[in-house]
Amino acid sequence: MTDVTDDTVEDPPKKRSLLPMLIGLVLGIALAGAGYFAVHSGLILAPGEAESEPVEEGPDITFLPVDPLVVSLGGAAGGRHLRFQAQLEVPGASVREVTERMPRITDVLNGYLRAVDVALLTEPAALVQLRAQMLRRVRMVVGDDNVRDLLVMEFVLN
């Protein structure tokens, strides 16, 4: 006689225990709460008396806006325009003097930008050279010690 046994019968799948996941969740919440309490109460990451140093004040600087310029680039440019806006970095003691000479500064920048070749304006790296030339001209108007830097805020060629 043949003994027929069914070896293909599978055991029912065992359910995974949720206990490790619950323990991890509870521990995570507890550690997050403890971390929040430690930071909030100043136990960690709080500035101590030994760590706090007096803050050194920076130089007395004021940024003065230059009136926005719209410069027509002439016949060779095909009626294109340049929109330019800048600010001057001025020491606090020189603000009044530079403000009084702002019309002359605007005139110098306007004259320079009209004289620049359109091919130079379209080069991506030309802005550094243009900025240096404009700063040089502004310093000639107000003096070297009265203007520290010229910051280009807008330079749009259309």
Side-chain angles (χ1 to χ4, degrees), residues 5 27 35 39 43 45-46 61 65 67 71 73 75 77 82 96 113-115 121 135 141 145-146 156:
T5 56
L27 284 176
V39 171
L43 294 174
L45 299 179
I61 296 174
D67 294 333
V71 179
L73 299 176
L82 171 67
R96 183 171 175 249
L113 289 172
R114 285 186 190 276
L121 293 175
L135 178 61
V141 171
D145 297 334
N146 293 331
V156 179

Side-chain angles (χ1 to χ4, degrees), residues 73-92:
L73 299 176
R80 296 176 79 182
H81 290 80
L82 171 67
R83 181 169 167 78
F84 176 79
Q85 189 173 4
Q87 290 193 2
L88 299 174
E89 184 178 336
V90 179

Side-chain angles (χ1 to χ4, degrees), residues 86-109:
Q87 290 193 2
L88 299 174
E89 184 178 336
V90 179
S94 303
V95 171
R96 183 171 175 249
E97 185 176 350
V98 173
T99 304
E100 289 173 352
R101 295 187 184 176
M102 195 59 73
R104 182 155 311 274
I105 292 170
T106 303
D107 180 59
V108 165
L109 292 176

